Amino acid sequence: PPVVEVLSAEKSFANGTRALAPIDLTVRAGEFLTLIGPSGCGKSTLLKLIANLYEPTDGRINWWRGDFRKVGQDGRRLAFVFQDPTLMPWARVATNVRLPLDLERVPKPQATPRVAAALEQVGLGHAARSFPRQLSGGMRMRVSIARALVTEPNLLLMDEPFGALDEFTRNKLDDDLVALSWERKLTTIFVTHSIYEAVFLSTRIVVMAANPGRVFREVVIDEPMPRG
Ligand code: ADP
Ligand code: ADP
């Protein structure tokens, strides 16, 4: 089934920048969709429209709940992972990961096992009591991914999550992300500048072009790369 539908959505900013010409895009459950294209082609803007962080100037974003509904809070579970992990430095890893559950007022006895499970999923079961400053950049990014997974999102949005990491760390995270998203059939929209990531992580690649931002072509990949 579809998860979200972008219907002729456009975005212009107050300064006149036409960030996105009308875009149509349907994201289906279980897809790993990668957005790739030059800087300024509207990749981040498209993610923010889908996340309801921006209003489209025209067109709409619909969520699937048996039928398509206009975007709203209920029934919509999405998580956003940014390039900067933005962890609370004074709080332990487990507390950082628990944050979205605290915001939803999930009682601690229910939250604790979910936090532990999310940390296991990103290979950080042992680091729950560490502080962010004790972790490497790659580990901090894993914490940020765990904080997204703990909410059990039906859509995971990732805006160049590994762009600031060294190549070795990045390749390792790429591998683990493929395993994770395929195991859990996580529906993901992933923004990257890396053709390697687009080709090796995705089930579908949406190539965008700039001025104005638009979809240039799509590439569907039948199967992800086998691991190992
Ligand atoms: P990325 O290419 O990594 O997505 P950003 O989203 O930070 O980078 O910014 C992309 C472009 O949008 C940059 O050229 C930046 O200068 C521009 N930009 C971002 N925010 C604003 C803003 N509030 N006003 C004008 N330009 C902006
Ligand atoms: P990408 O993520 O592909 O680099 P963006 O979505 O960040 O592209 O930006 C698309 C276009 O919109 C760029 O020309 C950028 O400068 C502009 N832009 C992005 N955010 C803003 C903003 N808040 N105000 C004005 N212009 C913006």
Side-chain angles (χ1 to χ4, degrees):
V3 173
V4 65
E5 178 190 59
V6 177
L7 260 186
S8 305
E10 293 182 47
K11 182 69 187 174
S12 297
F13 289 102
N15 65 3
T17 305
R18 207 170 159 218
L20 282 180
I23 292 226
D24 288 291
L25 185 70
T26 301
V27 183
R28 288 170 212 85
E31 275 196 299
F32 193 114
L33 192 153
T34 295
L35 302 178
I36 192 163
S39 216
C41 71
K43 303 181 295 295
S44 297
T45 302
L46 180 55
L47 282 195
K48 287 172 187 166
L49 282 176
I50 290 171
N52 207 17
L53 296 171
Y54 288 159
E55 269 291 306
T57 311
D58 204 357
R60 41 198 269 163
I61 315 293
N62 291 323
W63 287 78
W64 181 260
R65 268 172 263 146
D67 57 3
F68 279 116
R69 306 278 180 81
K70 195 160 157 43
V71 61
Q73 287 298 327
D74 75 288
R76 175 177 67 103
R77 297 195 70 86
L78 65 83
F80 214 132
V81 173
F82 298 94
Q83 182 168 323
D84 177 356
T86 56
L87 304 177
M88 302 179 290
W90 61 87
R92 293 182 199 276
V93 162
T95 309
N96 269 282
V97 171
R98 205 181 62 218
L99 175 68
L101 301 182
D102 288 345
L103 294 175
E104 286 179 29
R105 302 188 187 286
V106 175
K108 225 176 159 186
Q110 276 140 268
T112 303
R114 286 174 65 181
V115 169
L119 281 170
E120 283 298 329
Q121 275 158 13
V122 300
L124 281 185
H126 60 285
R129 295 190 55 76
S130 301
F131 286 95
R133 65 169 179 278
Q134 299 171 299
L135 307 180
S136 67
M139 289 166 88
R140 284 200 284 265
M141 181 47 70
R142 288 174 190 276
V143 175
S144 162
I145 294 171
R147 184 180 53 194
L149 295 177
V150 80
T151 64
E152 292 165 18
N154 57 18
L155 182 63
L156 178 63
L157 304 176
M158 304 181 94
D159 195 352
E160 280 213 71
F162 310 149
L165 301 174
D166 65 86
E167 197 177 332
F168 180 82
T169 305
R170 184 172 186 152
N171 290 347
K172 181 79 183 83
L173 280 163
D174 284 342
D175 281 352
D176 291 351
L177 182 60
V178 172
L180 195 67
S181 63
W182 278 82
E183 229 167 75
R184 291 172 51 103
K185 298 201 181 355
L186 260 178
T187 311
T188 306
I189 308 181
F190 186 84
V191 167
T192 184
H193 280 115
S194 158
I195 294 185
Y196 174 90
E197 282 180 343
V199 169
F200 288 92
L201 302 184
S202 322
T203 60
R204 182 155 61 115
I205 303 172
V206 171
V207 185
M208 295 177 66
N211 300 314
R214 62 195 185 278
V215 172
F216 177 63
R217 69 169 42 145
E218 285 195 28
V219 182
V220 174
I221 301 171
D222 295 331
E223 258 185 275
M225 283 291 285
R227 300 199 71 230

